[in-house]
Amino acid sequence: MADPESPGEHGNAALLRAAAAGDQQAWESIVDRYANLVWSVARSFQLGQSDAADVSQATWLRLVEHVDDVRDADKLGSWLATTARREAIALLRKGGRDVPAGSAGDFVGHLGVQAGLDRVEDEPDAGVLRDERDATLWQEFRALSGQCQQLLRVLIADPPPSYAEVSAALDVPIGSIGPTRKRCLGTLRRRLAASI
């Protein structure tokens, strides 16, 4: 059985070597490939836009500093996810604060489409209905456990992260991701059905 990260990772070793040698196009390719993963990990800690941007920037800086230290180029996504998680935790500890509520815009829109709640677009009052739908979805999402909120935020990255990347981002066993995802989405669906 192939490594779950292998299919989309072909060429990471060459990209890392080229980036280390100063090839700007190689850096851009790496950033294009993993920017959404790094961003979703930062946002999974319910950081605001500016704090998530700081975490993202710090993660990329760590890669620049340690580009020659990445032992397994095929695991670059996991390395970046772990680094983003550590940077987010460090930011929260440095601020001596609890995790802020954050904004739901990107999450609500994505999950709303997945849940089939986007069918109101053709109706005359589509904007009002969409806003009500989003508010309900966000309210029910916030009622989920912190673990569920964090997992679902990371899983909606585009392109979708591998389970190895999710495991590294959240420091959870790979085998628990699928069952936890199923449980969290089931809980969210039940809550949404009860609120309609």
Side-chain angles (χ1 to χ4, degrees), residues 4-137:
E5 284 195 297
S6 294
E9 307 299 320
H10 184 69
N12 276 353
L15 285 173
L16 285 170
R17 280 192 304 275
D23 183 337
Q24 185 62 33
Q25 191 172 13
W27 278 112
E28 289 172 7
S29 294
I30 292 169
V31 171
D32 286 346
R33 186 175 286 181
Y34 293 108
N36 288 335
L37 172 66
V38 170
W39 183 256
S40 68
V41 170
R43 292 294 293 195
S44 78
F45 284 86
Q46 298 181 1
L47 298 173
Q49 292 281 342
S50 63
D51 285 341
D54 288 346
V55 166
S56 183
Q57 184 177 10
T59 300
W60 293 112
L61 178 60
R62 296 294 170 257
L63 180 59
V64 169
E65 295 171 343
H66 300 284
V67 69
D68 294 321
D69 300 334
V70 177
R71 286 185 224 132
D72 187 352
D74 289 337
K75 303 291 185 193
L76 180 58
S78 295
W79 189 95
L80 288 165
T82 298
T83 303
R85 175 175 51 85
R86 290 177 179 160
E87 291 295 331
I89 290 169
L91 180 80
L92 290 170
R93 285 185 180 147
K94 180 180 176 185
R97 60 187 177 168
D98 292 330
V99 177
S103 169
D106 54 346
F107 176 80
V108 169
H110 180 81
L111 190 56
V113 168
Q114 283 190 333
L117 299 174
D118 60 336
R119 297 186 188 114
V120 298
E121 298 304 320
D122 295 332
E123 298 180 21
D125 297 328
V128 172
L129 294 172
R130 184 179 49 250
D131 291 346
E132 289 176 9
R133 173 208 65 200
D134 290 354
T136 300
L137 182 57

